[in-house]
Amino acid sequence: MSTAGPAAAPADPRLARLSLNQATVKRLGVAQAADACARAGVPAIGLWREPVAEIGTAAAAKAVRDAGLRVSSYCRGGFLTGPDRTGALDDNRRALDEAAQVGSPCLVMVVGGLPGGDRDLAGARARVTDALAELAPHALERGVRLALEPLHPMFCADRSVLSTLGQALDMAETLPEAAAGVVVDAYHVWWDPGVHGQIARAGSRIASFQACDWVLPLPADALLGRGMVGDGHADVRGLRRAVDRAGYDGDIEVEIFNERVWEADGDEVVAEVVRRHLAHVV
């Protein structure tokens, strides 16, 4: 990356809250993704642990800073329901350390599903609650919020025993607000008839708002079924208005897992994210 930094697009005030989650351009490294954002006038980026680990937190923080961006989130922590409790807690403390080092205000938490053969959802959720209580002091020390992300119910068994925003709030509210908040991800919550009431309840607990669309048909791997905003069935603008009414004024982070998007040119993907943001989100 040039020491002079990438040529930035002219500032558009409508993009002031737009962030690109790095997963949307999965095949780009941290510096490449940050430069693509700067060229498109996107002022923030959500980072992932794996590409950050490839270059180290100091180099990742510098790449973001050199591009003139801020970090909107750090993905991801969690997976607290398995048999190795000590290992999971240690890994999440490391993730909180990394999040602080790259300048992220929150660590996105995908809390974990059910271990093989386990059918005890209540027990798994209790293990998550207990683990979060142990992680909260470290989160407070690092100044990084644990951002609990409820996932669509189809991921309950393997990825997250939190399926609704209400469940995530119930858990977050057992901890200090500075230690724990929630993620409102359009892909995961758009279907919930109670989501607008829960967003209003969340208020200042909202740590992140993520935008993408629910497109059909779902692929064989449903995790890769996210689409560009405007291509599917989620009322992303309605959700954005709801989080705004609740007092959230943070970043609107576009996170898309989609093989077709990953295969496209990174600059073209970011440019399309900008176009969709202007047409369907703000």
Side-chain angles (χ1 to χ4, degrees), residues 47-60:
L47 297 178
W48 277 71
R49 293 186 75 188
E50 293 81 3
V52 167
E54 292 176 2
I55 62 173
T57 55

Side-chain angles (χ1 to χ4, degrees), residues 267-279:
D267 280 315
E268 292 178 4
V269 169
V270 180
E272 187 64 20
V273 164
V274 169
R275 286 192 288 270
R276 299 303 183 95
H277 182 75
L278 297 176

Side-chain angles (χ1 to χ4, degrees), residues 16-17 70 203 206 243-252:
R17 296 170 62 191
R70 63 180 177 271
I206 301 173
V243 297
D244 285 0
R245 286 194 300 270
Y248 178 75
D249 59 2
D251 290 312
I252 300 166

